[in-house]
Amino acid sequence: METATLTPEPVTVTEHVEDPEQAQPKTIKLADFLGEWRDILKSQVIRNMDPVYSPKDEDDWDRVAREKLKQLIRPPFESQTRRGILPVARSFYKEDHKAAFLVGEMGSGKTFMGLAVAHLIPKPNKRILIQCPGHLVQKWIREAEETIPGCTCFNLNDKSMEQLLGHKLHLIRPIGTEIWVIGKERAKLHFQRKRQLVLRRGAECCPECGRAVECSETDKAPGCEHCGARMWAADRDKVRRYAKAEFIKRFFPKNFFDLLILDEVHELKGGGTAQGQAMSCLIARSEKVLALTGTLMGGYAHDLFYLLWRMFPRLMKDAGFEYGRTLQFAERYGVVQRTYDSKDVAVSLNIASIGRKMGKSRVKEAPGISPLLLPDLLLERSVFVRLSDISEALPDYDEIIVPVAMNEEQEEEYDQLSENLMTATQQALSRGDMRLLGKMLQSLLAYPDGCRSEEQVTLEQNGIEEIVGSARALDIDLLPKEERLLEILAAEKKQGRKVAVFLEHTGTRDLLPTLEEKLSENGFVPLIMRSQAVKPENREEWLKDNLATGRYDLLICNPNLVKTGLDLLDFPTIIFFQCGYSVFTLRQASRRSWRIGQDKPVRVFYMAYEKSMQEKALSLMAQKMETSLAVEGELSDQGLAALSESDNSMMYELAKALTGKKSVTNLNDAWNRYKQCELVSGLALDEAPDLQTTTTIKTTTTMTTAGGDTTRVTHEFIVRGKVSIRNDGAVVYVGRNRFELKAGAVYWAGRKVGWYDRKGCGEINDKPIRIYKPEQSKVFVLAEIRQKTAA
């Protein structure tokens, strides 16, 4: 099979020469083009754009809004006000826009910013509806009562229809600030249906027009093929309920709610889903719509298609899109893959015809996003808030990669299993059979951690299940990764830090009992949270009650249970014992502890076996997370390139990595590049405040030894220059000297003269330096550190 993938064309620049016949087109990557002309392009953008809100040009409206924000019980951080609250509020209440996205990195305070926007509604009496995941209903109510003075909260997440029926019978104007909260599951749940037909002379007929119809026994909601009438009714023998979102749309007037807040809106991206339909119903009865999410994109263009249609229908219609035609949207803003049969291609190439065709093709959308999606549809309707924007309220954050070597017996079995599965998979693919691909990847990801059990991979052929790969069960007391986990836990426990350990395999390949046993044998008391044992809406209270007993050292659970809404402030250390390969889950779960309110440095460990599929998966995850920053307002070099060049899903990319058809970056290099992207993306290049390069900041630390001796250590931070982004790193000018910062190294005139780590600490010519963002500053700076010690 041959696959043709359609991607946006690279930028083509024609060199100017005097002889036109000698002009040669020069093709360069989009990222290189932007890097080379960054300064000119930036100045043009700043000159031509007309933002709804600019911190430098605040007017009377903004000043009044700031005064009103002072009424909140908890005042916002200045960065939350400038980056999120005022831009959205001004868009709604000054410019009269209908809807907006607030994309906030996990832990940046999206809940608080959403409530602050609600508080700025220019009415004394207002009604706000919040739809969120069911387990976050109580959290939203608590946050609202702790933020907006005098607000009244209503919980619509129970089975009762009493409150909605009361407003249907007697429409009541809001008194003060009313906050209505409903879970997205409760909003969508409807009665079940049954067929409703009439019999005439033994034939099934439509009850509306009376004509005979044919419909499947399994179709519980058929429509008449003649008159289009619905031939179904509510099944009174099943659960009797009415979807609250549909009730609101049917019986409440337009603009009944002054503001609708949709939390975790990326979970509502489906087309014909009940949750998506409920979202449409609520939007129809709301004057303004604010969509909150931490991860707007999952890699496909269609992730945004239905969200944009529901929030901005006129925009999508004017752009020429039709509802439901996601492929049309993907052809303009995504990547479309067309697969042709090799026989058709060969025949086509032998036809001497101008209008020859390549035959029929299989068309599907592939991961990847065109850069045009940002200016065309997102930038004017979105606000992006990073954790780095509110860094003054957060402790240090460090991510540590922990590669672990397999022991000899474990590695031997893994290598044999990998070789057998590779051979079998390649043979299956040559026959056009892709069933073994997923089995191979899951087996190779799982066996190193679950090697105490026998591993068998089978493939059904001609009605018979054949074993295509197997690995024997190993009798190993402590696996290498478990030993390393115990070492990390012991070190963290010694420092009085609780730990959250995340495992992917908690279902069919359940590792929780084994890990719990090993931890207990070594003196640790783990708290196990399972999805079946604790309902989503009760997890926060369950966790709080168990921690209050003081018995537990660590929490163990699947990261999917805590990836949204659940704060883990009591666990400043997070360990991914298994990482999986979901960008959404990894990014969401890794930030559960690094949030506003955390007062301890946060450490996140990612564990993987060396020379295994786990290592390849983690390396690819680092590249994917770097790419995902691009759509959320962080346009790094790799991110922009990946927008138009991204290839297949994680499963296929892992398969290509295993077969050698895709090169995988070294794990440490991939992760360092991702972290460098995060550092560079936080620099505010569109704002250039004056910076005095002679600024000196002094900090003094007093240390007392066990013998009572006291030592005073004074650090002087002498700011030498502002950090500015360039193509693949950053640049600092100190006087006339130009220093380049790339992937942890410092270069001068092409020669390496220093280094820096993830925290911005390092050296230049053996002199200690620090890259950091001073208070009240909007840019990073490079400072020389001078230390003085006095007894």
Side-chain angles (χ1 to χ4, degrees):
M1 304 292 288
E2 296 182 1
T3 303
T5 303
L6 305 182
T7 58
E9 295 293 329
V11 177
T12 300
V13 179
T14 303
E15 296 181 349
H16 177 72
V17 294
E18 293 184 1
D19 187 354
E21 295 182 358
Q22 296 180 1
Q24 297 293 330
K26 177 184 177 183
T27 301
I28 62 175
K29 289 186 176 181
L30 177 60
D32 295 336
F33 173 80
L34 291 177
E36 183 176 352
W37 302 99
R38 180 186 301 274
D39 293 336
I40 295 177
L41 292 173
K42 186 185 78 172
S43 62
Q44 288 292 329
V45 169
I46 294 174
R47 184 181 301 113
N48 295 325
M49 70 178 182
D50 183 23
V52 171
Y53 168 80
S54 174
K56 295 180 180 179
D57 302 315
E58 289 192 358
D59 57 17
D60 291 340
W61 191 95
D62 300 303
R63 285 185 281 274
V64 171
R66 283 181 175 275
E67 286 298 318
K68 193 170 183 179
L69 288 175
K70 293 179 181 179
Q71 301 171 2
L72 295 175
I73 300 174
R74 297 181 298 162
F77 295 107
E78 175 60 23
S79 51
Q80 290 177 317
T81 302
R82 288 189 295 107
R83 300 278 188 176
I85 299 171
L86 286 184
V88 173
R90 188 181 178 97
S91 169
F92 284 166
Y93 315 130
K94 180 72 163 50
E95 306 295 333
D96 198 27
H97 293 174
K98 166 74 175 180
F101 288 105
L102 198 164
V103 185
E105 193 174 1
M106 293 64 73
S108 59
K110 295 186 295 295
T111 302
F112 176 82
M113 288 188 282
L115 292 169
V117 170
H119 179 67
L120 292 179
I121 295 174
K123 296 180 181 179
N125 302 311
K126 48 212 169 196
R127 184 179 287 124
I128 298 98
L129 174 63
I130 299 168
Q131 179 184 274
C132 61
H135 64 284
L136 300 182
V137 169
Q138 290 297 337
K139 178 184 177 181
W140 269 98
I141 293 175
R142 185 181 68 250
E143 291 275 345
E145 292 173 343
E146 294 175 354
T147 303
I148 301 178
C151 70
T152 305
C153 295
F154 299 95
N155 188 343
L156 298 182
N157 206 42
D158 55 11
K159 297 179 181 180
S160 172
M161 297 287 291
E162 182 178 351
Q163 186 173 349
L164 294 179
L165 287 170
H167 279 80
K168 172 183 178 260
L169 297 173
H170 305 285
L171 285 177
I172 305 171
R173 294 183 179 276
I175 301 174
T177 302
E178 292 185 2
I179 308 288
W180 296 27
V181 188
I182 186 171
K184 62 185 179 68
E185 294 82 8
R186 182 67 62 187
K188 71 170 185 177
L189 290 177
H190 216 324
F191 52 75
Q192 296 187 40
R193 299 168 177 175
K194 65 178 181 180
R195 300 195 309 163
Q196 188 178 43
L197 304 171
V198 295
L199 290 176
R200 288 187 174 179
R201 298 180 181 180
E204 293 183 333
C205 300
C206 171
E208 191 71 26
C209 66
R211 300 172 69 179
V213 294
E214 293 184 5
C215 55
S216 171
E217 290 289 337
T218 60
D219 188 359
K220 300 299 182 182
C224 177
E225 59 196 72
H226 306 294
C227 67
R230 294 183 296 183
M231 301 185 297
W232 54 266
D235 190 345
R236 63 183 302 169
D237 298 326
K238 300 290 178 66
V239 179
R240 303 179 70 178
R241 60 192 173 199
Y242 200 99
K244 293 190 175 183
E246 187 171 330
F247 185 95
I248 289 171
K249 180 182 179 182
R250 178 170 295 186
F251 298 111
F252 287 6
K254 187 177 180 181
N255 295 338
F256 181 78
F257 297 103
D258 297 292
L259 175 65
L260 168 65
I261 298 178
L262 299 166
D263 193 18
E264 305 295 350
V265 74
H266 62 270
E267 297 183 358
L268 311 177
K269 64 184 180 183
T273 64
Q275 290 183 359
Q277 183 62 35
M279 174 184 174
S280 299
C281 292
L282 298 179
I283 288 176
R285 293 296 172 261
S286 304
E287 186 174 356
K288 305 292 181 184
V289 181
L290 176 58
L292 308 180
T293 182
T295 44
L296 183 60
M297 293 294 298
Y300 292 85
H302 74 248
D303 290 342
L304 275 174
F305 179 77
Y306 289 106
L307 294 180
L308 290 170
W309 254 110
R310 292 167 186 143
M311 295 175 63
F312 310 100
R314 181 172 298 178
L315 170 72
M316 296 292 282
K317 188 173 182 180
D318 292 345
F321 297 116
E322 296 182 26
Y323 188 83
R325 294 190 60 185
T326 57
L327 192 60
Q328 177 195 20
F329 186 78
E331 286 176 339
R332 186 183 303 183
Y333 294 119
V335 176
V336 173
Q337 183 172 289
R338 304 182 188 276
T339 306
Y340 299 86
D341 192 283
S342 56
K343 296 179 181 178
D344 293 339
V345 175
V347 171
S348 173
L349 294 177
N350 290 326
I351 298 176
S353 170
I354 296 176
R356 69 184 181 189
K357 296 182 179 180
M358 295 287 284
K360 293 183 178 180
S361 64
R362 294 194 302 275
V363 183
K364 68 174 184 178
E365 183 182 357
I369 304 145
S370 166
L372 292 175
L373 179 64
L374 293 163
D376 286 1
L377 300 175
L378 285 182
L379 289 183
E380 294 183 12
R381 299 159 188 88
S382 306
V383 169
F384 300 92
V385 182
R386 295 287 316 280
L387 272 172
S388 57
D389 297 330
I390 57 170
S391 56
E392 72 271 12
L394 295 171
D396 290 340
Y397 177 85
D398 197 13
E399 292 182 322
I400 302 116
I401 305 300
V402 185
V404 181
M406 290 184 276
N407 68 27
E408 186 175 348
E409 186 181 16
Q410 185 185 19
E411 187 174 3
E412 183 179 343
E413 285 294 318
Y414 175 85
D415 290 343
Q416 187 62 48
L417 175 65
S418 176
E419 183 179 344
N420 293 339
L421 289 178
M422 274 274 296
T423 303
T425 301
Q426 288 174 343
Q427 292 174 354
L429 291 174
S430 67
R431 301 190 301 266
D433 187 350
M434 301 181 66
R435 292 175 297 163
L436 193 55
L437 194 59
K439 291 184 176 182
M440 174 188 69
L441 296 174
Q442 289 292 346
S443 180
L444 294 180
L445 282 169
Y447 179 71
D449 292 319
C451 60
R452 294 187 181 93
S453 301
E454 182 183 11
E455 183 75 18
Q456 283 191 349
V457 181
T458 62
L459 182 66
E460 186 272 328
Q461 298 187 69
N462 301 321
I464 302 174
E465 287 285 340
E466 297 182 3
I467 298 177
V468 295
S470 64
R472 63 189 177 90
L474 304 179
D475 185 14
I476 303 176
D477 181 38
L478 268 181
L479 296 175
K481 195 193 278 190
E482 294 170 348
E483 289 185 22
R484 188 72 182 93
L485 174 65
L486 290 172
E487 293 173 3
I488 297 173
L489 290 175
E492 297 299 306
K493 185 176 181 180
K494 191 175 181 180
Q495 298 178 33
R497 297 166 60 91
K498 292 189 182 297
V499 180
V501 180
F502 294 151
L503 279 80
E504 287 287 332
H505 294 152
T506 57
T508 305
R509 302 174 181 268
D510 193 2
L511 294 180
L512 282 177
T514 303
L515 193 59
E516 182 180 11
E517 177 186 347
K518 299 300 179 184
L519 291 170
S520 299
E521 290 174 355
N522 287 272
F524 295 98
V525 182
L527 173 62
I528 310 296
M529 181 165 64
R530 288 187 177 273
S531 59
Q532 305 94 328
V534 188
K535 293 182 179 180
E537 58 269 24
N538 298 332
R539 286 173 191 160
E540 186 176 7
E541 195 67 28
W542 177 88
L543 188 60
K544 181 180 178 182
D545 292 343
N546 279 281
L547 289 178
T549 65
R551 293 175 49 210
Y552 300 101
D553 302 312
L554 68 153
L555 168 71
I556 306 179
C557 67
N558 190 300
N560 287 291
L561 302 185
V562 300
K563 66 180 180 180
T564 57
L566 194 61
D567 294 341
L568 299 180
L569 296 177
D570 293 307
F571 301 91
T573 299
I574 291 176
I575 301 176
F576 281 86
F577 189 77
Q578 296 172 319
C579 297
Y581 48 83
S582 166
V583 174
F584 276 147
T585 300
L586 196 68
R587 288 190 65 201
Q588 292 269 10
S590 65
R591 302 301 172 87
R592 286 296 101 196
S593 181
W594 196 45
R595 318 177 73 75
I596 296 173
Q598 179 60 267
D599 55 2
K600 295 181 180 179
V602 174
R603 302 172 193 147
V604 181
F605 295 85
Y606 299 93
M607 305 185 72
Y609 277 113
E610 292 178 340
K611 300 177 183 179
S612 74
M613 182 59 70
Q614 292 183 4
E615 185 178 47
K616 289 182 172 65
L618 191 54
S619 179
L620 285 173
M621 284 292 292
Q623 298 174 43
K624 287 290 184 183
M625 289 193 292
E626 186 177 347
T627 301
S628 67
L629 293 176
V631 182
E632 295 165 18
E634 311 304 338
L635 302 181
S636 69
D637 169 43
Q638 176 68 13
L640 274 177
L643 279 176
S644 56
E645 296 170 13
S646 115
D647 201 352
N648 284 302
S649 67
M650 278 294 294
M651 187 180 77
Y652 284 102
E653 292 198 24
L654 282 170
K656 289 165 64 178
L658 186 64
T659 57
K661 294 183 178 179
K662 177 183 178 67
S663 61
V664 180
T665 309
N666 173 274
L667 176 58
N668 287 325
D669 291 344
W671 208 265
N672 285 337
R673 183 176 176 87
Y674 161 60
K675 296 308 295 178
Q676 179 191 3
C677 167
E678 281 204 314
L679 171 65
V680 171
S681 67
L683 308 184
L685 290 182
D686 59 332
E687 300 170 353
D690 293 335
L691 183 68
Q692 300 297 326
T693 56
T694 57
T695 299
T696 301
I697 302 172
K698 289 186 178 181
T699 61
T700 302
T701 303
T702 302
M703 297 182 293
T704 304
T705 65
D709 298 330
T710 301
T711 302
R712 295 178 53 140
V713 180
T714 301
H715 293 87
E716 291 184 355
F717 282 62
I718 304 174
V719 179
R720 295 300 192 186
K722 184 185 73 171
V723 180
S724 301
I725 296 178
R726 289 298 182 264
N727 186 27
D728 57 351
V731 170
V732 181
Y733 286 94
V734 180
R736 296 184 178 181
N737 294 306
R738 183 179 188 270
F739 293 93
E740 295 183 0
L741 311 178
K742 292 183 180 181
V746 182
Y747 298 90
W748 177 79
R751 180 168 57 89
K752 184 177 178 181
V753 295
W755 59 272
Y756 61 94
D757 61 17
R758 295 189 185 99
K759 295 182 179 180
C761 301
E763 291 182 347
I764 294 180
N765 293 331
D766 297 326
K767 293 182 179 180
I769 62 165
R770 179 71 187 271
I771 302 169
Y772 72 107
K773 184 188 290 186
E775 293 184 8
Q776 308 302 325
S777 175
K778 301 171 184 175
V779 296
F780 279 81
V781 298
L782 183 144
E784 177 187 348
I785 303 176
R786 294 180 181 176
Q787 178 177 315
K788 297 179 181 179
T789 304

